[in-house]
Amino acid sequence: MSDHMNFLSLRYFIEISNHLSFSEASKTLHISQPGLSQQISSLEKQLGFKLLNRTTRKITLTEEGEYIYKKLAPSFDDIEKTINYIVENKIIPKPKIEIATVPSAASIYIPKLLKKFLGKYPDVEFYLHETTSSRAVKLVNQQNYHIGFIRTPIHNNIIAHEGLNMIEFKRFPLQLVVSTVHPLAQKDSIHLYEAKDESFIHYDAVQAHSLQFLLEKACLTAGFSPKELCKGSELLTIANLVSNNLGVALMPKDMIGLLGTSNVKALDIDNTELTSSISAIWKNNDDTSLLTNQILHTLQNDPTFYDR
């Protein structure tokens, strides 16, 4: 292959692949169809293989063309967006870090991270997307987001299967949350079996997998299957239901600190070692940016993320 690859021809190829039509591509590119066809033929000759299967009725990509299109199309799209942004705004865009996070981590860890990181890199722009743990795993794996914050425990094989790395922060014990007018509120700790007749606010198995797993395991270990009042993972919903003495909830101590109501009480649970935590996940590859690595360095070396 020549050292002087014609990148304009590659751009033409990308546009044809987008439309699978020479006529549509020629309109978008403002070039004649014969000129466009000549550019592609020249590119195929330079590469040494066909990119397009051309008939009178339709155009399809060859196997080689499909491979090159998938590899190059995102890059060309990013280049065009960057140039258009600079031309329209007359400024260079700020570097951006995109984080997918569960709501509890957004309240507990993200402010601490931003305060520490923006002190060193004030020009960095952060984009936060609150979501579920399972969704955060997918978004980071698909490289739509640089880093994710998820609720753990989560099956390690899920993380390994997705090709992700994970660092876990401090673990917190489970506690039973009841209304201050509930009879159990007179105690500071209980054996969970004492709550066997209570109606529990359950967690959705998809939206809050780790919390649902902990609830089921804790109750079954204590010797009973928990009655279900409803399913919900929103902290405000849980706080309102519990404070109105409609049911009880089992949740990690760090989440309880976010309930923001004086009408609930958290009880320690005897004879259980079940804990929950927040973990950071990321996909480690050649495209991992310097800023992402700096954030990971901060998370891995700041003791306040592990000793709260």
Side-chain angles (χ1 to χ4, degrees), residues 133-158:
S133 293
S134 57
R135 182 62 180 158
V137 168
K138 291 181 180 179
L139 290 172
V140 174
N141 182 53
Q142 294 168 355
Q143 296 181 272
N144 293 321
Y145 286 78
H146 300 98
I147 296 174
F149 285 83
I150 64 173
R151 174 64 62 175
T152 42
I154 190 171
H155 296 305
N156 289 334
N157 61 338
I158 294 177

Side-chain angles (χ1 to χ4, degrees), residues 150 152 154 156 159 164-168 279-282 300:
I150 64 173
T152 42
I154 190 171
N156 289 334
I159 298 298
L164 301 175
N165 296 300
M166 183 175 80
I167 51 176
E168 183 183 11
S279 294
I281 57 171
W282 72 98
Q300 290 168 325

Side-chain angles (χ1 to χ4, degrees), residues 158-179:
I158 294 177
I159 298 298
H161 177 72
E162 297 289 353
L164 301 175
N165 296 300
M166 183 175 80
I167 51 176
E168 183 183 11
F169 305 133
K170 183 179 179 180
R171 297 184 181 185
F172 292 87
L174 293 183
Q175 293 184 310
L176 183 72
V177 186
V178 301
S179 167

Side-chain angles (χ1 to χ4, degrees), residues 27-48:
K27 293 176 184 177
T28 303
L29 296 168
H30 305 290
I31 183 176
S32 68
Q33 288 190 49
L36 191 55
S37 179
Q38 185 178 4
Q39 289 280 356
I40 296 303
S41 296
S42 176
L43 178 60
E44 289 176 329
K45 183 178 181 181
Q46 195 173 14
L47 291 170

Side-chain angles (χ1 to χ4, degrees), residues 6-20:
N6 188 336
F7 288 99
L8 186 58
S9 295
L10 287 172
R11 176 67 186 87
Y12 291 162
F13 165 68
I14 296 296
E15 196 61 39
I16 293 170
S17 301
N18 287 337
H19 298 284
L20 292 178

Side-chain angles (χ1 to χ4, degrees), residues 80-288:
E80 286 191 342
K81 286 180 180 178
T82 299
I83 296 300
N84 289 338
Y85 181 91
I86 294 173
V87 170
E88 291 175 8
N89 297 279
K90 312 301 183 192
I91 58 172
I92 298 175
K94 292 182 177 181
K96 180 187 290 187
I97 293 292
E98 295 177 300
I99 298 176
T101 177
V102 293
S104 54
S107 297
I108 297 170
Y109 291 106
I110 298 298
K112 186 186 304 183
L113 173 64
L114 295 189
K115 186 174 181 179
K116 192 173 187 70
F117 196 79
L118 290 175
K120 295 181 180 179
Y121 303 96
D123 293 331
V124 175
E125 187 175 283
F126 280 84
Y127 177 77
L128 304 179
H129 174 55
E130 290 192 19
T131 184
T132 63
S133 293
S134 57
R135 182 62 180 158
V137 168
K138 291 181 180 179
L139 290 172
V140 174
N141 182 53
Q142 294 168 355
Q143 296 181 272
N144 293 321
Y145 286 78
H146 300 98
I147 296 174
F149 285 83
I150 64 173
R151 174 64 62 175
T152 42
I154 190 171
H155 296 305
N156 289 334
N157 61 338
I158 294 177
I159 298 298
H161 177 72
E162 297 289 353
L164 301 175
N165 296 300
M166 183 175 80
I167 51 176
E168 183 183 11
F169 305 133
K170 183 179 179 180
R171 297 184 181 185
F172 292 87
L174 293 183
Q175 293 184 310
L176 183 72
V177 186
V178 301
S179 167
T180 51
V181 300
H182 193 287
L184 289 175
Q186 299 175 14
K187 300 185 177 186
D188 292 322
S189 65
I190 64 166
H191 189 287
L192 192 56
Y193 188 76
E194 296 178 60
K196 65 181 177 63
D197 295 324
E198 302 295 332
S199 295
F200 281 77
I201 301 169
H202 281 231
Y203 299 98
D204 185 88
V206 175
Q207 300 296 320
H209 169 75
S210 63
L211 294 177
Q212 185 265 351
F213 166 77
L214 288 173
L215 168 65
E216 294 288 342
K217 184 172 183 179
C219 293
L220 292 175
T221 302
F224 68 96
S225 180
K227 296 179 182 178
E228 180 180 319
L229 172 69
C230 63
K231 284 188 174 71
S233 57
E234 294 291 334
L235 285 175
L236 182 60
T237 301
I238 295 174
N240 287 332
L241 291 172
V242 174
S243 64
N244 282 282
N245 203 23
L246 294 171
V248 301
L250 197 64
M251 63 176 60
K253 189 174 182 179
D254 60 328
M255 284 182 62
I256 294 171
L258 301 173
L259 290 180
T261 175
S262 59
N263 297 322
V264 301
K265 183 176 179 180
L267 309 178
D268 293 331
I269 301 172
D270 300 330
N271 303 317
T272 182
E273 296 181 354
L274 293 177
T275 59
S276 179
S277 62
I278 294 294
S279 294
I281 57 171
W282 72 98
K283 191 153 191 170
N284 199 11
N285 53 37
D286 293 338
D287 295 328
T288 304

